[in-house]
Amino acid sequence: MQTRLDSRQCEAFLSVIDHGSLEQAAQALSLTSSAISQRIKALEMELGNTLLVRSRPCRATAAGQKLVQHLRRVAELEQDLQSEFAGQQSAAISIALGVNADSLDSWLLPALAEFLIAENILLEVLIDDQDHTHDLLESGMVLGCLSAEQNAMRGCQAVPLGFMRYHPVASKEYCQRWFPQGMTREAARLAPVLTFNRKDKLQAQILLEHFGLQEHTYPTHYVPATTPYNQSILLGLGWGVIPDVMLENLDQDKLVRLMPHHPVDVALYWHHWKVQTPRLARLTNTLVRQARESLQQVRDPDK
């Protein structure tokens, strides 16, 4: 006999995933923590799997992630269906997307703004490194993601968008101080590097490939916000990488391209579920079209 999911149990489970704790989920649903816990235990017994790791914050198990994926997709389908039956094609729906910070801070919002307004879509953006946004889709936290991952997981498609082309740059004053003879191996070993966060491996990739320097063998700043990161480069705190789509908006007279013939191309893919609502399908079409107009479509020939 086929199992039917209890809506209240599923609501409790998703609330814990969204809020990170039984207590906060209980507050959001106007229930007690005990009631939330009981509903999740009943759901686990019904499905015969442990769904939740009761840590801080709480997180879904592998089986729980599959359930989250299912519940997110069902909720999105229901939102569109309810709007259609009510004769409200433009009724607001909420869509969560996983994106990398550089896309969010450059081409993504201008590319989607007109569409989001016209379709009355409420956007929830979850930011992570392009090598890790795919984890958000896999965990069920988002319905689509921008990712450097080429392979789509089961039930999804990965659409190539193009390349974000990054250039190693530094301020003129920084170069005079640290690279008076150019960016040599010894100079690069001593010169401060600007890295977005500890997941960001672009600078490490450059130093390893071109100078044989292992990660953590050179001084590093961590500045996990795009505008302050770029400002830190302009201020001479360190050298870093900036994509073409941002570099053109910065003061070129203050910057030096350290390796003009060796940019780093990062391929981006749009991952989405094969089965989509009409609105999400239209979002996919808009995002793919706009991304291909904004991003490089030919990989650097030296790569």
Side-chain angles (χ1 to χ4, degrees):
M1 185 174 179
Q2 200 171 38
T3 300
R4 296 192 63 180
L5 297 176
D6 183 284
S7 60
R8 295 184 304 168
Q9 294 171 1
C10 291
E11 181 184 44
F13 173 65
L14 269 185
S15 186
V16 172
I17 297 299
D18 288 339
H19 292 92
S21 74
L22 297 173
E23 293 77 15
Q24 291 184 16
Q27 186 176 5
L29 297 178
S30 299
L31 295 169
T32 65
S33 298
S34 177
I36 294 289
S37 181
Q38 288 174 15
R39 290 184 182 184
I40 293 174
K41 286 179 180 178
L43 183 59
E44 290 176 325
M45 291 181 64
E46 183 67 34
L47 295 177
N49 279 278
T50 300
L51 303 173
L52 190 69
V53 177
R54 289 162 172 79
S55 56
R56 290 190 179 275
C58 292
R59 56 184 176 84
T61 63
Q65 288 180 5
K66 292 181 180 179
L67 179 59
V68 172
Q69 291 173 4
H70 170 77
L71 295 177
R72 301 279 193 217
R73 293 162 65 194
V74 168
E76 195 240 338
L77 289 166
E78 286 181 348
Q79 284 186 81
D80 253 14
L81 188 62
Q82 289 171 358
S83 297
E84 184 177 344
F85 281 172
Q88 300 171 338
Q89 293 292 336
S90 61
I93 64 168
S94 179
I95 293 178
L97 303 180
V99 306
N100 60 312
D102 286 338
S103 290
L104 180 64
D105 288 323
S106 56
W107 62 271
L108 182 64
L109 291 180
L112 290 182
E114 184 177 344
F115 173 83
L116 295 175
I117 294 169
E119 295 278 349
N120 201 8
I121 292 176
L122 304 175
L123 199 60
E124 180 179 358
V125 175
L126 279 67
I127 301 175
D128 208 335
D129 184 87
Q130 61 268 4
D131 291 322
H132 297 270
T133 48
H134 191 259
D135 296 340
L136 298 171
L137 181 64
E138 191 172 21
S139 68
M141 297 303 294
V142 298
L143 291 172
C145 70
L146 295 173
S147 174
E149 174 58 52
Q150 181 177 0
N151 299 315
M153 67 182 189
R154 184 177 180 183
C156 289
Q157 291 181 329
V159 183
L161 301 177
F163 303 90
M164 291 200 81
R165 180 162 294 169
Y166 290 83
H167 290 273
V169 294
S171 71
K172 290 182 177 179
E173 293 78 8
Y174 177 92
C175 289
Q176 291 169 3
R177 184 164 64 252
W178 291 103
F179 300 147
Q181 307 302 320
M183 194 177 181
T184 64
R185 185 182 191 279
E186 183 60 22
R189 185 179 66 82
L190 301 174
V193 182
L194 273 159
T195 300
F196 192 81
N197 58 29
R198 295 184 184 276
K199 293 180 178 179
D200 177 13
K201 302 300 181 182
L202 287 180
Q203 291 76 206
Q205 176 185 331
I206 292 168
L207 290 171
L208 181 61
E209 288 183 1
H210 293 279
F211 302 104
L213 294 173
Q214 296 293 329
E215 193 173 2
H216 307 308
T217 61
Y218 36 81
T220 304
H221 295 286
Y222 295 96
V223 183
T226 303
T227 299
Y229 177 89
N230 293 346
Q231 184 182 27
S232 296
I233 293 176
L234 289 167
L235 290 171
L237 293 180
W239 73 269
V241 294
I242 299 178
D244 276 346
V245 287
M246 292 183 190
L247 201 55
E248 61 190 23
N249 296 321
L250 299 177
D251 189 344
Q252 301 292 311
D253 292 335
K254 294 183 178 180
L255 291 172
V256 175
R257 298 197 183 200
L258 300 173
M259 305 171 71
H261 301 298
H262 298 285
V264 178
D265 285 347
V266 176
L268 287 181
Y269 299 84
W270 169 241
H271 290 253
H272 65 87
W273 291 99
K274 290 179 181 178
V275 178
Q276 300 183 95
T277 65
R279 245 189 295 205
L280 191 53
R282 292 194 294 271
L283 184 146
T284 287
N285 292 336
T286 301
L287 187 148
V288 170
R289 183 179 67 254
Q290 295 290 346
R292 288 175 176 172
E293 292 179 3
S294 301
L295 301 176
Q296 298 281 344
Q297 293 304 306
V298 179
R299 194 176 186 90
D300 182 68
D302 291 336
K303 298 297 176 184

